[in-house]
């Protein structure tokens, strides 16, 4: 069985869809899939579906949802032994339920492994390998995590964690590509990313460097001014010391800004002018 959560929820076995149509059952499948082979307590499922004030019939209702989900899985598995295989796949444990599925069959865990390898390659100074691994990891995403599941508390936390990992992988991939001299190719993407994340200093530092190295110093400086204005107006804060020093380096036309690093310590763009 294969399950995808990096975008719309998708599950299939033998190319047959195993995604339930009912919202509560979709929540259960998503939550179990994010804890493969682990017992998820009934209390966690209840809180996910109803929050802190569940109905008195919550335990019985969860059992009904599990029964319906097993029927969906049995239909996808097919054959006369479908119901038995579904009970084995979606097993009952002490005080909860577990989905007997390997991590490698779930896209979120495949992403995490590939992203970790990319981060490690960057730390080792291999920017080309880092860029390739992180690009492959990010290609697993088909949209926001669990975009078509009405998440409760637990799933919202999981989705937010995945989205943060996605953003970090994107930033590190861009760091690697900047080290490879791909600043011009990154301009459009960075313009979009800074618009989507208007207070993210790391992305703004990358965009500033990309514009600067592409001969667009005024655009780089305008990015800084816009970010500084937003931070002051919304948070009452000045940009970080790293970003302020990057800005000063651009004003003074520091020759180090034009150096595309091919070796040496693999420094993220945001930390180019860290103390």
């Amino acid at each position: 069985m294969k399950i995808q959560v990096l975008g719309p929820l998708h599950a299939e076995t033998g190319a047959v869809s195993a995604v339930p149509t009912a919202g509560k059952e979709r929540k259960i499948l998503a939550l179990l899939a994010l804890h493969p082979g682990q017992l998820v307590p009934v209390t966690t499922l209840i809180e996910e579906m109803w929050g802190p004030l569940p109905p008195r019939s919550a335990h019985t209702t969860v059992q009904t949802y599990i029964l319906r989900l097993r029927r969906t899985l049995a239909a996808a598995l097919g054959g006369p032994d479908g119901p038995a295989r579904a009970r084995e796949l979606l097993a009952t444990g002490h005080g909860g339920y577990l989905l007997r599925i390997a991590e490698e069959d779930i896209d979120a865990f495949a992403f995490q492994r590939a992203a970790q390898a990319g981060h490690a390659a960057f730390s080792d100074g291999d920017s080309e390998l880092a860029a390739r691994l992180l690009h492959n990891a990010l290609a697993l995403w088909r949209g926001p995590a669990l975009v078509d599941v009405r998440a409760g508390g637990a799933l919202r936390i999981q989705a937010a964690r995945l989205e943060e990992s996605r953003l970090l992988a994107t930033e590190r991939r861009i760091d690697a590509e900047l080290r490879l001299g791909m600043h011009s190719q990154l301009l459009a993407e960075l313009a979009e990313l800074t618009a989507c994340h208007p207070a993210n200093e790391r992305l703004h530092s990358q965009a500033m460097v990309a514009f600067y190295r592409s001969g667009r110093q005024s655009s780089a400086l305008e990015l800084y001014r816009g970010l500084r204005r937003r931070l002051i107006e919304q948070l009452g804060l000045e940009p970080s010391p790293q970003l302020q020093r990057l800005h000063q380096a651009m004003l003074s036309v520091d020759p180090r800004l034009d150096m595309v690093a091919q070796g040496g310590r693999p420094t993220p763009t945001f930390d180019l002018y860290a103390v």
Side-chain angles (χ1 to χ4, degrees):
M1 186 175 184
K2 305 287 186 181
I3 300 180
Q4 296 173 310
V5 298
L6 304 180
L9 178 65
H10 180 74
E12 64 177 37
T13 176
V16 179
S17 175
V19 180
T21 56
K24 300 291 189 184
E25 293 149 42
R26 292 167 68 85
K27 282 189 180 185
I28 291 176
L29 178 60
L31 196 54
L32 294 176
L34 288 169
H35 299 82
Q38 301 177 35
L39 186 76
V40 177
V42 172
T43 52
T44 300
L45 296 174
I46 289 174
E47 186 173 357
E48 170 63 30
M49 288 185 284
W50 291 290
L53 297 173
R56 292 183 178 180
S57 61
H59 279 79
T60 302
T61 306
V62 166
Q63 292 175 345
T64 301
Y65 292 145
I66 291 291
L67 177 62
R68 292 175 181 171
L69 181 53
R70 281 181 177 146
R71 287 173 180 167
T72 299
L73 295 174
L77 292 165
D81 61 345
R85 293 169 62 195
R87 287 193 298 274
E88 182 178 354
L89 178 62
L90 176 48
T92 301
H94 180 68
Y97 300 92
L98 69 154
L99 197 62
R100 290 200 174 107
I101 186 172
E103 286 188 355
E104 52 264 31
D105 292 325
I106 302 169
D107 62 352
F109 293 93
F111 162 74
Q112 290 172 350
R113 286 193 301 273
Q116 288 169 359
H119 286 295
F122 183 84
S123 296
D124 290 341
D126 193 338
S127 297
E128 186 173 348
L129 178 60
R132 183 167 68 252
L133 290 172
L134 290 166
H135 176 82
N136 292 341
L138 292 163
L140 294 171
W141 286 75
R142 299 165 294 115
L146 296 170
V147 65
D148 61 346
V149 176
R150 184 171 293 181
L155 280 179
R156 277 197 299 271
I157 291 172
Q158 292 291 329
R161 178 181 59 82
L162 288 168
E163 290 291 346
E164 181 62 23
S165 296
R166 181 189 191 183
L167 183 59
L168 291 173
T170 299
E171 292 169 356
R172 191 60 74 245
R173 192 211 84 225
I174 292 172
D175 279 331
E177 291 176 347
L178 284 172
R179 285 174 61 84
L180 294 170
M182 298 173 61
H183 37 271
S184 296
Q185 296 96 311
L186 290 167
L187 290 179
E189 180 183 6
L190 281 167
E192 180 180 357
L193 285 169
T194 51
C196 292
H197 302 276
N200 186 305
E201 292 189 317
R202 296 187 301 270
L203 289 172
H204 278 73
S205 70
Q206 293 173 328
M208 288 168 64
V209 168
F211 276 106
Y212 184 92
R213 289 180 179 170
S214 300
R216 298 174 60 179
Q217 184 185 26
S218 61
S219 296
L221 296 174
E222 179 56 37
L223 272 172
Y224 176 83
R225 287 192 292 268
L227 174 63
R228 180 175 183 269
R229 184 172 58 253
R230 286 190 294 274
L231 290 176
I232 291 174
E233 290 176 353
Q234 298 174 14
L235 302 174
L237 297 174
E238 288 282 349
S240 65
Q242 292 99 313
L243 209 62
Q244 291 185 47
R245 285 190 286 269
L246 176 62
H247 176 242
Q248 289 299 320
M250 290 182 175
L251 290 174
S252 62
V253 195
D254 188 332
R256 289 180 294 173
L257 283 170
D258 291 315
M259 296 173 59
V260 178
Q262 298 294 343
R265 191 169 70 93
T267 304
T269 309
F270 181 65
D271 294 323
L272 283 176
Y273 289 88
V275 174

